[in-house]
Amino acid sequence: MVVITLLPALLFSAADKLWPLTLPGSDRQPASVVLDRHGQPLRYFADQEGIWRHRVSVDQVSDDYLQALLAYEDRFFYQHPGINPLSLLRALGQFVRHGRVISGGSTLTMQVARILDPHSRSVAGKLWQMFRALQLEQQLSKVQILELYLNYAPFGGVLEGIQAASFHYLSKPAHRLRPAEAALMAVLPQAPSRYRPDRYPQRAEEARNKVLDRLSEQGVWDKPKVLRAKQEPVDIRPMDNPLVAPHLAYRLYKATPETSVHYSTLDQQLQLQVESRLAYGASVMGREVSAAALVIDNRNHNVLAYAGSADFLAKERQGQVDMVQAVRSPGSSLKPFLYGLALDKSLIHSQSLLADVPFVSQHYQPENFNRHFSGPVSASQALQLSLNLPFVQLIEAYGAQNFMNRLLSSGIDLSVPGGEGNPAMILGGAGIQLEHLVRLYASLANQGKVPELKFSLSEADSGKDNSRNTKDDRSDWVHHLSDAKQTHQFRHLLSPQAAWITWDTLRAVRIPTSAGVDAARRLSGQIGWKTGTSWGHRDAWAIGVSQNYTIGVWVGRADGRPMTKGRTGYNTSGPILFDLFRAISPRVSPVKQPEGIQEHVICWPDGRSEAVVRQCDQSFLALTIRGVTPRTLDLNPEQLFYDPSHTILLDQNTGLRVNRACLQGEVEKAEVSLWPDFLAPWLPSDKKVLTRLPEWAGQCLSYLNDKRDIHLSGVKPGQVFLLKKDSLVVPVKLEQGFVARHWYLNGNRIAGNASQIKLKLSLETPEHNELLVIGQDGWMIRLPFYVYKQD
């Protein structure tokens, strides 16, 4: 009796060793899907064998689907040992009575066994299936067996598993299936080709209703729920493979290819709007021009839209190159951060006097984008007009290496030739990604802290409650995640005060007329924004910041070749930027002002508050950090600030100017305020040095040459030079005793603090030229001359 009892167990054990069950390996890379923040599919990636299968666990599937599946396929799943004898007997009786298979009698475990180890539909095959089912029950728990079915059940073609079927047929994850959809998905594996809902909706509806009737008969669902489900038509779109945000989708997939479902922070509807606007913007600029854009929520730093190109599938635009991550020249777009850092270092306030004049920096000779010079300008005006020369002056004062180090320490990747900071960085002589540039600008709305951008949501963020696809949920998508408590990573770059003053300065930049009257009316003063254009019109940037959003736009060619001349950040990227701001929300609001910002009346040329300045030639209302008003910066590399106060000696009787070499009688000291001599050519006559200083006393004229013309040898007014060779060097010299602080040729500074120079002329020299020489006391010599090539 004992032998008879143990014999089946012994035979099963022997068979189990002879024919062990092979379970699917977990090392196989699954198919992946990337979702937006509401669970809408953005892009699919098949596994290595081209199968669409997305891993899913029992708790990631709709309860309605599990109820429909078990009620229809195996209501005693949790009670039987893998084989249900009653079901087998019922199936056998139906076969004898009708002469054909009415129901298979297979349990859910047996179906999993057939999926894992296919076999013929014969008596031998059925016995083999039963053996494999017993093996499954011996080795796995019920939940594990159920999950095998959820992941490997056939749903037609290359679709396997409920998650893949739900995404491809219904464009939603399996945990969001409605009752009618759950019933349809439960019956579909029985005949995937016959019941395919996108091709045979009538058959699919009949099969679904059969499941619903079963649920009602068994009392799993009440009649009203079943009736509502039956009233829902089967209206399934043909399967498609979405290609929304393809660059970010691929980026997330490559980062963790073992992940089956990637929950991104993107909003599909906003993403489509951004892609559409970029495609249109690029289409009017030529077939080879591309564009990229990044939209982030400043409150939680979620990326809401990520467009790496104007058209992913356009070969002529090289659309598959992700320009969000491409390293390109930023043009002038780094200037706001030098401005903010200089505020924090007390080098400037918003109305500090800067010099828009030609000069040679310590490393190279810069010029403005428009090749014109404005002379004296305020720091805020220099930023708003994006003047180059004042910012070269500013980076020389701040320190190019210091500027580079501050950006790097804030987590920003900056590519600089040679790896050392230089003044050219501020004019575009560096490389940066759009992603990192947007992070920098986001700091202006985050109290000077540079955030880490968030591209993915945790599973908790994208759970069932957060992913309902209803109109009510979509209406407040802006606040959906921003109100959640999240931990953010920041790196400090600016103080809150410097960040806000920088933003406030940028919001005065004029909105492009091509952005439209409506955009100008609604968005003016609400957005701080800046453009940038790299050398040769290769890159055109526009980045804007409001209280809640930061948007960055890049336009150019992915291969780095120049665009059509005249394409700038202002006229190409700027209109797209404001189009995106207009689309993102009707409630764009300005950045909130922090404490510690004070307004003070300051004076030029000194730069400090009028309360401490003796002479105020021009006054301005400046924004300061806690009332700090530094003096005007000097162009002289040997001293940081310019002191306009000069002490002179006057004859008490005549009031004329004297010096210690010609003192006679009683003298007195007097204080005069003088403007910097490097601004002399741009100053009105009443502000020039010679006007400000009294005339010299007669007894001093023998010691000075100020009363007569200063002679210059080597070049005469109107002189013509005929070049017989490729070049010519002309020695030019001031008369003895005179030293010029600045030497300019055609507006470009060529020397300083010299009494003589060697003027180099070549075939590249223009025909009409002007040599300008400026002395320390404000005297000037202007000499026009001409250069011609001799035939």
Side-chain angles (χ1 to χ4, degrees):
M1 181 63 70
V2 175
V3 173
I4 296 174
T5 304
L6 292 177
L7 183 61
L10 293 172
L11 291 174
F12 177 80
S13 178
D16 185 45
K17 291 180 179 179
L18 285 173
W19 298 287
L21 176 66
T22 302
L23 297 173
S26 60
D27 57 339
R28 177 176 170 182
Q29 182 175 314
S32 293
V33 60
V34 181
L35 308 177
D36 84 335
R37 59 185 296 176
H38 303 291
Q40 294 297 305
L42 301 176
R43 190 178 181 184
Y44 299 116
F45 298 92
D47 69 6
Q48 299 100 314
E49 299 178 5
I51 300 297
W52 300 104
R53 182 193 303 115
H54 305 293
R55 288 177 188 162
V56 69
S57 60
V58 170
D59 59 0
Q60 293 173 323
V61 176
S62 162
D63 290 339
D64 285 334
Y65 173 74
L66 294 176
Q67 292 169 3
L69 174 66
L70 295 178
Y72 189 70
E73 293 287 359
D74 191 352
R75 64 185 297 191
F76 300 108
F77 172 71
Y78 285 102
Q79 286 77 42
H80 63 66
I83 300 171
N84 188 338
L86 295 178
S87 296
L88 290 174
L89 289 174
R90 185 191 68 245
L92 180 61
Q94 291 173 339
F95 178 77
V96 171
R97 189 179 314 114
H98 299 281
R100 59 186 178 87
V101 175
I102 300 299
S103 63
S106 296
T107 64
L108 205 61
T109 308
M110 292 172 65
Q111 293 184 48
V112 172
R114 186 173 66 246
I115 293 170
L116 299 181
D117 188 5
H119 54 268
S120 62
R121 292 183 176 273
S122 62
V123 174
K126 181 63 69 173
L127 292 173
W128 183 256
Q129 182 185 11
M130 294 166 63
F131 166 65
R132 288 300 195 195
L134 292 173
Q135 285 181 302
L136 281 170
E137 293 282 348
Q138 183 187 51
Q139 297 182 30
L140 302 177
S141 68
K142 288 290 187 179
V143 171
Q144 289 174 315
I145 294 171
L146 180 57
E147 287 185 351
L148 284 174
Y149 182 87
L150 297 179
N151 284 285
Y152 289 90
F155 281 87
V158 294
L159 293 180
E160 292 186 4
I162 180 59
Q163 189 78 292
S166 183
F167 281 134
H168 281 263
Y169 286 120
L170 304 169
S171 296
K172 62 172 63 175
H175 71 254
R176 291 173 51 203
L177 293 175
R178 297 192 303 273
E181 297 167 337
L184 175 62
M185 291 295 105
V187 74
L188 189 55
Q190 283 205 349
S193 298
R194 178 177 174 77
Y195 295 153
R196 184 166 164 170
D198 59 325
R199 294 181 180 176
Y200 311 108
Q202 184 62 38
R203 293 179 191 170
E205 185 172 334
E206 291 173 357
R208 179 202 67 184
N209 290 345
K210 189 193 306 183
V211 176
L212 292 172
D213 289 338
R214 184 79 58 85
L215 287 162
S216 179
E217 292 168 4
Q218 295 178 6
V220 179
W221 291 355
D222 58 31
K223 290 184 179 180
K225 182 174 181 177
V226 170
L227 181 59
R228 287 194 300 271
K230 282 187 174 183
Q231 291 173 343
E232 187 174 317
V234 174
D235 184 16
I236 306 296
R237 300 176 313 216
M239 285 193 304
D240 59 359
N241 190 0
L243 195 63
V244 183
H247 293 98
L248 179 62
Y250 184 72
R251 179 174 173 176
L252 296 178
Y253 168 69
K254 290 299 290 182
T256 55
E258 70 280 0
T259 301
S260 181
V261 181
H262 302 265
Y263 299 94
S264 78
T265 59
L266 300 189
D267 178 88
Q268 186 188 66
Q269 293 189 31
L270 177 63
Q271 176 71 28
L272 292 172
Q273 289 187 60
V274 171
E275 291 181 3
S276 174
R277 284 164 166 79
L278 285 187
Y280 175 77
S283 68
V284 299
M285 300 179 202
R287 296 181 58 191
E288 297 179 334
V289 174
S290 188
L294 202 61
V295 181
I296 70 168
D297 188 329
N298 291 333
R299 293 160 293 185
N300 50 39
H301 314 117
N302 290 325
V303 175
L304 303 177
Y306 183 119
S309 68
D311 185 347
F312 184 75
L313 300 178
K315 292 183 178 180
E316 62 275 13
R317 300 187 195 277
Q318 300 184 53
Q320 295 191 20
V321 178
D322 184 358
M323 299 309 298
V324 169
Q325 296 189 85
V327 177
R328 304 299 288 250
S329 166
S332 297
S333 58
L334 293 179
K335 288 176 180 175
F337 306 100
L338 176 59
Y339 178 89
L341 289 169
L343 285 168
D344 272 334
K345 200 174 180 180
S346 298
L347 294 178
I348 61 171
H349 48 68
S350 69
Q351 297 300 322
S352 285
L353 172 61
L354 296 179
D356 184 28
V357 301
F359 68 94
V360 179
S361 79
Q362 297 177 17
H363 301 86
Y364 80 120
Q365 182 174 307
E367 63 181 12
N368 279 331
F369 188 80
N370 60 8
R371 300 189 178 182
H372 296 294
F373 310 105
S374 303
V377 295
S378 69
S380 59
Q381 184 183 15
L383 180 58
Q384 291 160 1
L385 298 178
S386 197
L387 300 175
N388 288 343
L389 296 165
F391 275 90
V392 173
Q393 177 192 4
L394 199 55
I395 198 171
E396 293 278 14
Y398 186 84
Q401 188 64 44
N402 291 338
F403 178 65
M404 175 180 169
N405 291 343
R406 289 294 292 127
L407 294 186
L408 293 176
S409 65
S410 68
I412 298 301
D413 290 338
L414 198 65
S415 174
V416 179
E420 295 185 1
N422 61 78
M425 292 188 304
I426 204 62
L427 306 185
I432 195 171
Q433 300 174 1
L434 174 60
E435 177 179 325
H436 286 260
L437 200 56
V438 168
R439 288 177 57 205
L440 274 176
Y441 276 83
S443 70
L444 302 182
N446 285 277
Q447 298 188 321
K449 295 176 289 187
V450 178
E452 292 288 342
L453 299 186
K454 190 174 182 182
F455 300 98
S456 298
L457 300 175
S458 67
E459 212 167 298
D461 290 330
S462 55
K464 297 180 182 180
D465 293 337
N466 285 347
S467 300
R468 298 189 187 102
N469 187 24
T470 66
K471 291 184 178 179
D472 290 339
D473 286 331
R474 182 65 185 88
S475 65
D476 66 343
W477 64 267
V478 168
H479 306 288
H480 190 110
L481 291 172
S482 61
D483 296 334
K485 293 182 179 179
Q486 302 182 45
T487 301
H488 306 301
Q489 293 183 343
F490 300 96
R491 295 199 185 182
H492 287 268
L493 177 65
L494 303 172
S495 69
Q497 296 78 21
W500 188 86
I501 293 174
T502 302
W503 176 86
D504 185 66
T505 301
L506 292 176
R507 70 167 162 173
V509 177
R510 183 170 55 88
I511 296 177
T513 55
S514 53
V517 176
D518 178 62
R521 183 180 66 253
R522 288 171 48 190
L523 302 176
S524 181
Q526 310 298 305
I527 297 168
W529 74 294
K530 181 73 178 70
T531 63
T533 306
S534 67
W535 182 79
H537 303 272
R538 287 169 168 78
D539 306 279
W541 307 82
I543 307 95
V545 185
S546 69
Q547 176 66 42
N548 296 331
Y549 308 106
T550 298
I551 302 178
V553 177
W554 170 89
V555 174
R557 291 179 50 141
D559 59 11
R561 287 191 288 167
M563 294 185 289
T564 304
K565 189 175 181 180
R567 300 284 189 196
T568 67
Y570 189 82
N571 62 29
T572 58
S573 301
I576 297 175
L577 174 72
F578 284 96
D579 193 21
L580 295 180
F581 264 112
R582 185 171 48 187
I584 193 171
S585 172
R587 299 180 299 277
V588 173
S589 56
V591 176
K592 296 177 181 178
Q593 179 177 331
E595 296 181 356
I597 294 175
Q598 299 177 9
E599 292 184 332
H600 281 270
V601 176
I602 61 92
C603 294
W604 283 6
D606 186 283
R608 292 178 297 172
S609 169
E610 65 174 355
V612 299
V613 174
R614 293 185 179 180
Q615 182 172 336
C616 192
D617 287 350
Q618 286 181 259
S619 62
F620 300 88
L621 185 62
L623 294 175
T624 71
I625 299 177
R626 305 190 189 282
V628 176
T629 57
R631 266 185 165 152
T632 296
L633 292 172
D634 201 324
L635 276 181
N636 186 349
E638 298 178 0
Q639 59 189 40
L640 186 57
F641 294 107
Y642 172 74
D643 185 355
S645 299
H646 292 264
T647 302
I648 60 174
L649 297 177
L650 299 178
D651 187 310
Q652 284 188 352
N653 295 324
T654 64
L656 298 177
R657 188 178 174 193
V658 296
N659 62 21
R660 298 189 183 280
C662 57
L663 289 176
Q664 292 182 7
E666 297 294 327
V667 296
E668 62 182 2
K669 292 182 179 181
E671 296 287 335
V672 293
S673 179
L674 301 180
W675 284 69
D677 59 2
F678 49 80
L679 292 174
W682 292 270
L683 294 176
S685 59
D686 63 331
K687 291 184 174 62
K688 292 187 177 182
V689 173
L690 291 179
T691 305
R692 287 287 173 89
L693 294 176
E695 293 188 5
W696 288 97
Q699 70 269 20
C700 297
L701 294 180
S702 60
Y703 298 94
L704 303 166
N705 293 311
D706 287 22
K707 282 295 182 181
R708 60 182 178 82
D709 292 336
I710 301 168
H711 296 293
L712 190 69
S713 62
V715 180
K716 296 179 180 180
Q719 185 170 347
V720 175
F721 293 92
L722 297 177
L723 296 187
K724 296 181 180 180
K725 302 179 180 179
D726 291 341
S727 62
L728 174 67
V729 177
V730 180
V732 181
K733 183 178 180 181
L734 286 166
E735 65 179 279
Q736 188 174 2
F738 287 89
V739 176
R741 184 164 181 179
H742 307 287
W743 294 73
Y744 296 95
L745 176 62
N746 300 326
N748 296 314
R749 190 173 186 266
I750 56 176
N753 297 321
S755 60
Q756 58 183 343
I757 64 168
K758 291 183 178 180
L759 187 62
K760 297 180 180 180
L761 306 178
S762 70
L763 297 178
E764 302 296 326
T765 305
E767 291 184 355
H768 300 271
N769 300 274
E770 182 183 68
L771 182 65
L772 173 66
V773 188
I774 302 176
Q776 292 186 355
D777 291 328
W779 54 262
M780 288 187 297
I781 300 174
R782 290 183 182 272
L783 284 177
F785 67 93
Y786 305 90
V787 177
Y788 297 104
K789 179 181 178 182
Q790 187 174 17
D791 295 329

